[in-house]
Amino acid sequence: MDDYPLLNAFWTMCLIFLWVLWLILLFRIIADIFRSHDLKGWGKTGWLVLVIVLPFVGVFIYVIARGHGMSDREIAQAERQQKQMQDYLRKTVAAGDDSGSRHADQLAKLADLKNHGDITEEEYQKAKAKVLA
């Protein structure tokens, strides 16, 4: 290791970083090709072949031609996943024990009473402890 200068180690680390960055970009583009609903079978096949056979040229052409919609498709996918998660949580909570929702309702009412000044902080803490017990 004595004959390997520090500058060469730095350049090696830079090249590894760029290689990993390139792989991330390549896989994001491949995922975007499959995620795209406006491309049909042959269009997806053509882009996929171009990106795999000529990776540098294919990725650059894809980013120039279809890069403007990549973020839109990514946002739409995130919104779909968020909606699915919310639907799942609603179903799970609705199917769960009613005592949890009753406790939450009671705590919400207590918080409203405290916020409106109807009860003091000490009364709120005592009532909250009684609900959670």
Side-chain angles (χ1 to χ4, degrees), residues 3 13 15 41 45 53 57 73 83 120 129:
D3 60 342
M13 288 173 44
L15 289 175
T45 304
V53 172
V57 175
R73 289 185 287 276
K83 185 180 180 306
T120 65

Side-chain angles (χ1 to χ4, degrees), residues 1 6-7 13-15 17 22 35 39 47 49 53-54 76-77 79 81 84 96 102 114 118 126-127 129:
M1 198 67 174
L6 185 62
L7 187 60
M13 288 173 44
C14 286
L15 289 175
F17 174 75
W22 173 256
R35 182 182 300 132
L39 284 176
W47 278 113
V49 167
V53 172
L54 300 170
Q77 176 69 18
E79 288 172 351
Q81 287 177 342
Q84 289 173 349
R102 283 188 301 222
K114 186 183 86 159
D118 295 334
K126 286 180 183 178

Side-chain angles (χ1 to χ4, degrees), residues 66-132:
R66 297 184 44 85
H68 62 281
M70 284 180 70
S71 62
D72 297 336
R73 289 185 287 276
E74 187 77 26
I75 290 170
Q77 176 69 18
E79 288 172 351
R80 281 193 300 271
Q81 287 177 342
Q82 180 71 24
K83 185 180 180 306
Q84 289 173 349
M85 178 61 97
Q86 289 173 350
D87 291 343
Y88 171 75
L89 289 174
R90 282 190 197 106
K91 289 178 189 175
T92 304
V93 169
D97 188 15
D98 276 344
S99 65
S101 63
R102 283 188 301 222
H103 291 312
D105 291 340
Q106 290 175 350
L107 289 173
K109 288 176 186 177
L110 284 173
D112 284 341
L113 288 172
K114 186 183 86 159
N115 290 338
H116 288 101
D118 295 334
I119 60 174
T120 65
E121 178 68 30
E122 184 179 318
E123 292 171 331
Y124 171 74
Q125 291 299 332
K126 286 180 183 178
K128 183 172 118 177
K130 188 182 286 188
V131 168
L132 294 177

Side-chain angles (χ1 to χ4, degrees), residues 22 25-26 29 47 50-51 54-67 70:
W22 173 256
L25 179 64
L26 181 66
I29 287 177
W47 278 113
L50 183 65
V51 167
L54 300 170
F56 289 108
V57 175
V59 165
F60 291 137
I61 292 172
Y62 188 85
V63 169
I64 291 170
R66 297 184 44 85
M70 284 180 70

